[in-house]
Amino acid sequence: MSAPVRVWLNRTYAENVFFIDLLRSAPQQVEVYATHVDPDSPVLAAADFGALEPDGLSPEAYLEFALEFCARNRIDVFLPRLNQLAISLHRLEFEEIGTALVCPSAAAIAVFESKADGYAAMDAIGLPTPLWRHVRTADELLAAVGEIEATGGQACLKPANGAGGEGFRMLTREPFSLRRLAGFVDASVQLDQVVAALDAAEEPADLLVMPYLRGPEVSVDCLTSPEGPLLTALGRTKSGRRRGFTVDPVYLEPARRLVEEFGVGYLSNVQFRHDADGRPVVLDVNTRPSGGLHQLRLCGLNLPWAAVELALGGTPRLLPTAELVLRDYTLVATAQPVLPHRATAPLATAQPVLPHRATAPLATRTAELEPA
């Protein structure tokens, strides 16, 4: 019997308990290592070996921690989320200690570290992007908002270096009123408040302003060979509570061009929404697996294990697009075990990682829907 493949996930999202579940369903035995600064992170309980990791490290210091962790625990495959760029820059050092990285090249990651740089790079090769403006001052903000409102759109803003929906705000000219205190909290902010904040800031801001794109949203999960072409891609559609899958070339072809032109190897995610004319545009690019990647198991795809196979020099067997089972589904919440309460001090790098098992089986978070 061959030795298990040791896979490490660092400080990943709670949703990736299901990523771990897919690794365990692989035809070869896998041991999953997970580290996090939150002792109650579900991934620590879901993994075979879980541990706290140091918090507050610089990228350089974290790199040293990661190299030592891989060497000490004989990690075969490392899927970094935190400090992905710094880690990818030192890929050869990981390979020298026997650890393969499942992440794109540093050059590809760097393109999309800033959303402004990413949009500019996509515009340069003719990929469909929304109207966007990179703003640093109050005057630039007002000019961008005026340009968007002149087209009939509603302006929104987000940090140029934010992840996911971090910092997203809708901009409104409506004065604050008691109506805002009723109902649920929304993501809108008064334009004059943002202008005042920019005027008072000691340094220029780093923000993107664009029209709000109402959807529907299509999120394309991609698996690409490290140095070559796209191997497979599938779109996940989101409309209210209903979820589905799509292989429409209007989404898959721009995603293919993007990952191949910029060399976004292994697992990545390209998000689309639609502009006022209904044209799909690239909203965001993630050089890491999406939190919803596990949903592709409904179609017969296990992309986490396929990426590990690639990293180990293998050739994953993937279902042809024509054989994928496309169905509608919805998401429901479920309970996930966590580790018993314990001290929250970071794990010292000299200490071994202690094994544990989840105390209850992982539950699926997908439920099929009948077609509308």
Side-chain angles (χ1 to χ4, degrees), residues 5-9 66-80 87 90-103 266 308 311-312:
V5 178
R6 298 185 173 198
V7 179
W8 176 29
L9 308 177
L67 284 165
E68 194 276 340
F69 186 95
C70 289
R72 174 166 43 88
N73 294 289
R74 303 191 304 279
I75 299 299
D76 298 302
V77 179
F78 177 22
L79 286 81
I87 289 166
H90 294 267
R91 186 181 302 268
L92 290 179
E93 293 178 40
F94 284 93
E95 292 177 353
E96 287 172 358
I97 60 173
T99 300
L101 297 184
V102 171
C103 69
Y266 293 105
V308 169
L312 295 175

Side-chain angles (χ1 to χ4, degrees), residues 271-327:
Q271 297 176 12
F272 293 84
R273 285 213 176 191
H274 299 76
D275 63 17
D277 297 324
R279 180 182 67 124
V281 293
V282 178
L283 181 64
D284 206 359
V285 179
N286 296 308
T287 59
R288 53 165 176 78
S290 66
L293 180 67
H294 65 92
Q295 295 162 29
L296 272 60
R297 72 191 314 170
L298 289 174
C299 301
L301 290 176
N302 185 341
L303 295 194
W305 173 245
V308 169
E309 283 188 290
L310 275 178
L312 295 175
T315 302
R317 289 184 293 177
L318 300 164
L319 285 175
T321 300
E323 295 182 18
L324 296 178
V325 179
L326 307 184
R327 62 187 71 176

Side-chain angles (χ1 to χ4, degrees), residues 113-135:
E113 278 279 285
S114 163
K115 295 180 189 297
D117 292 344
Y119 280 134
M122 289 187 287
D123 285 344
I125 65 170
L127 286 170
T129 61
L131 171 64
W132 62 278
R133 295 292 180 262
H134 191 197
V135 304

